[in-house]
């Protein structure tokens, strides 16, 4: 059956065969409270007023839709960049944390927890906790804390406590386990801010709705600049899938718009060092949700790899698994080297240094098959300052 809308999951949080809420019984009350209240709170005019005001005055929205003339010339098509890199804290992630902290307040919560891998979501969470005067605890793998020192320092400066996860591979997956353990022990006063369109229902839907401001703005801006709300292509990189969900959202039910999701191929899809989940993944359960997941024959999650810390996640959100299964979005994967070349290209042709995650979306330009009369929107999810050290290290690839 063809769905009437791709946007909304079923009442139990299913997008086709993907989604749901597979959680330990001890977590039921927390997730249920959220599920029973999130739609009502999001629809409340007072919530919307405060959310929109913070998006404008704190985050800096609407972000510009910039016509990239020199890139357009090079690829012989009309390219626009949605400038999420200009959001406060340098990426789209804060759209979600601003919304979730307002939601937490309305649920009567006083304490916020979050997991973080590279530290970007941790910083976006610590930022809104400082804004609202809420206690903030961020779980982070101790290996990641070592690798992402500056973000640990940012979180601490913002008043958050960063708690190391010292089990397993001491990375994102272990930090997530610690956060879940904390939430089970503190069900009454604590809200868990998840950073992407992943996790048990209602998180994928909640985060997609909070990020959908991106495509809402795009439609208005496209109408102004091109005379039509609808482009031919919308392109975004996918780690868990939140910036892509936001960029796709208001185009999901417009079949004329081609949605392009770009994953990290790392050293190459068949290299054993990759994060191309839509190609390598099989259905399985990760972080409370049934989705596509990189796993071995015994169902053990395989370690993902990408030079870009924001894309090395072994799953994708259930909405994206569904879009892949239905053929509604086309999935492309881009290797590290190609992404690094796209960093240089965007920097030198447009004067914008993109995040390494974002560079994967930019690198897909050569593979779209877009023509001179087509309009292509690339979601520029974040800025590259945080990746400068990597760019210096791989200067030979970037030349
Ligand atoms: C975290 C991050 C991503 C990946 O996360 P999604 O949930 O897939 O959007 C992409 N780009 C930037 C700049 C990020 O910080």
């Amino acid at each position: 059956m063809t769905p009437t809308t791709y946007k909304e999951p079923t009442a139990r949080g299913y997008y086709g065969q993907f989604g749901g809420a597979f959680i330990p019984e001890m977590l039921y009350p927390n997730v249920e409270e959220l599920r029973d209240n999130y739609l009502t709170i999001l629809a409340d005019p007072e919530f919307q007023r405060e959310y929109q005001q913070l998006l404008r005055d704190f985050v800096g929205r609407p972000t510009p839709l910039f016509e990239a003339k020199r890139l357009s010339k090079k690829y012989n098509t009309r390219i626009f960049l949605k400038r999420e890199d200009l959001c406060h804290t340098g990426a789209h992630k804060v759209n979600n944390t601003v919304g979730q902290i307002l939601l937490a307040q309305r649920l009567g919560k006083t304490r916020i927890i979050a997991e973080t891998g590279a530290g970007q979501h941790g910083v976006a969470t610590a930022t809104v906790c400082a804004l609202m005067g809420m206690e903030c605890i961020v779980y982070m793998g101790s290996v990641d804390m070592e690798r992402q020192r500056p973000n640990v320092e940012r979180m601490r400066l913002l008043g958050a406590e960063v708690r190391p996860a010292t089990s397993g591979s001491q990375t994102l997956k272990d930090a997530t386990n610690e956060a879940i353990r904390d939430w089970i022990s503190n069900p009454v006063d604590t809200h868990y801010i998840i950073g992407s369109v992943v996790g048990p229902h209602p998180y994928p839907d909640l985060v997609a709705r909070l990020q959908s401001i991106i495509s809402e703005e795009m439609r208005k801006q496209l109408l102004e600049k091109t005379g039509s709300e609808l482009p031919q292509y919308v392109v975004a990189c996918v780690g868990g899938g939140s910036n892509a969900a936001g960029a796709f959202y208001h185009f999901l039910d417009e079949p004329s718009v081609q949605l392009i999701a770009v994953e990290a191929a790392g050293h190459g899809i068949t290299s054993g060092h990759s994060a191309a989940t839509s190609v390598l993944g099989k259905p399985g359960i990760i972080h409370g949700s049934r989705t596509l997941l990189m796993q071995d024959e015994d169902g053990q999650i395989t370690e993902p790899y990408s030079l870009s810390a924001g894309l090395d996640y072994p799953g994708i959100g259930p909405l994206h698994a569904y879009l892949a299964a239905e053929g509604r979005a086309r999935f492309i994967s881009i290797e590290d080297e190609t992404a690094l070349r796209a960093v240089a290209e965007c920097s030198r042709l447009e004067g914008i240094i993109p995040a390494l995650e974002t560079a994967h979306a930019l690198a897909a330009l050569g593979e779209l098959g877009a023509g001179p009369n087509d309009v292509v929107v690339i979601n520029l999810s974040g800025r590259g300052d945080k990746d400068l050290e990597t760019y210096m290290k791989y200067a030979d690839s970037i030349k």
Side-chain angles (χ1 to χ4, degrees), residues 10 23 25 27 46 63 77 86 104 109 155 215 218 273 285 288 335 372 378 382 385 399:
T10 65
I23 49 171
E25 209 170 312
L27 212 54
E46 186 49 33
T63 58
T77 188
L86 295 178
K109 310 293 177 180
M155 287 184 268
S215 46
M218 277 180 187
H273 300 275
I285 289 166
E335 295 185 12
I378 298 180
D385 306 44
K399 260 209 281 279

Side-chain angles (χ1 to χ4, degrees), residues 90-93 120-121 195-197 237-244 310-311 355 357-358 381-383 386:
H92 66 288
K93 287 196 171 73
Q120 297 301 108
H121 173 56
S196 191
V197 286
C237 66
V238 172
S242 68
N243 87 87
L311 300 183
E357 292 84 357
T358 314
S381 58
R383 64 176 180 231
K386 70 180 177 57

Side-chain angles (χ1 to χ4, degrees), residues 332-397:
I332 292 177
S333 42
I334 295 293
E335 295 185 12
D336 289 347
E337 285 276 324
T338 318
L340 286 167
R341 280 199 298 276
V343 170
E345 186 175 86
C346 184
S347 303
R348 286 164 200 177
L349 290 182
E350 299 296 344
I352 299 168
I353 301 173
L356 188 48
E357 292 84 357
T358 314
H360 289 72
L362 290 161
L365 271 173
E367 301 195 21
L368 295 183
N373 297 321
D374 289 338
V375 170
V376 178
V377 182
I378 298 180
N379 198 37
L380 209 86
S381 58
R383 64 176 180 231
D385 306 44
K386 70 180 177 57
D387 297 311
L388 201 59
E389 214 171 303
T390 308
Y391 297 165
M392 283 156 64
K393 188 165 160 203
Y394 293 92
D396 286 345
S397 306

Side-chain angles (χ1 to χ4, degrees), residues 136-155:
C136 180
I137 289 141
V138 179
Y139 290 93
M140 188 169 186
S142 42
V143 168
D144 287 338
M145 283 180 71
E146 214 42 64
R147 287 194 290 210
Q148 309 289 341
R149 210 66 247 159
N151 275 342
V152 174
E153 294 312 322
R154 281 185 190 102
M155 287 184 268

Side-chain angles (χ1 to χ4, degrees), residues 158-374:
L158 290 159
E161 181 191 339
V162 184
R163 285 196 192 157
T166 54
S167 63
S169 55
Q170 306 178 16
T171 58
L172 178 61
K173 157 174 74 59
D174 313 288
T176 305
N177 291 338
E178 291 295 330
I180 289 171
R181 215 164 292 154
D182 180 312
W183 208 21
I184 288 173
S185 316
N186 300 284
V188 178
D189 66 343
T190 299
H191 175 67
Y192 179 13
I193 300 189
I194 290 186
S196 191
V197 286
V198 301
H201 178 62
Y203 280 104
D205 186 40
L206 168 63
V207 178
R209 284 169 189 265
L210 293 174
Q211 291 290 0
S212 71
I213 185 70
I214 298 174
S215 46
E216 192 182 316
E217 290 174 2
M218 277 180 187
R219 287 184 71 126
K220 289 188 201 136
Q221 293 166 323
L222 282 167
L223 180 63
E224 213 170 89
K225 290 174 199 293
T226 71
S228 168
E229 289 185 24
L230 303 182
Q232 277 63 51
Y233 298 87
V234 178
V235 187
C237 66
V238 172
S242 68
N243 87 87
F248 293 171
Y249 199 83
H250 291 287
F251 301 110
L252 283 168
D253 298 331
E254 303 281 3
S256 71
V257 181
Q258 295 193 49
L259 306 176
I260 313 293
V262 189
E263 294 182 308
H267 292 161
I269 286 182
T270 55
S271 66
H273 300 275
S274 169
T277 309
S278 72
V279 185
L280 299 169
K282 291 195 236 16
I285 289 166
I286 182 171
H287 300 147
S289 162
R290 184 166 196 277
T291 189
L292 288 175
L293 165 64
M294 288 169 42
Q295 51 192 312
D296 65 18
E297 268 139 46
D298 302 322
Q300 293 291 334
I301 295 170
T302 38
E303 279 293 324
Y305 166 81
S306 165
L307 184 58
S308 130
L311 300 183
D312 72 350
Y313 182 68
I316 48 174
L319 166 64
H320 294 293
Y322 184 52
L323 296 179
E326 294 284 304
R328 175 64 190 98
R330 179 176 154 206
F331 281 70
I332 292 177
S333 42
I334 295 293
E335 295 185 12
D336 289 347
E337 285 276 324
T338 318
L340 286 167
R341 280 199 298 276
V343 170
E345 186 175 86
C346 184
S347 303
R348 286 164 200 177
L349 290 182
E350 299 296 344
I352 299 168
I353 301 173
L356 188 48
E357 292 84 357
T358 314
H360 289 72
L362 290 161
L365 271 173
E367 301 195 21
L368 295 183
N373 297 321
D374 289 338

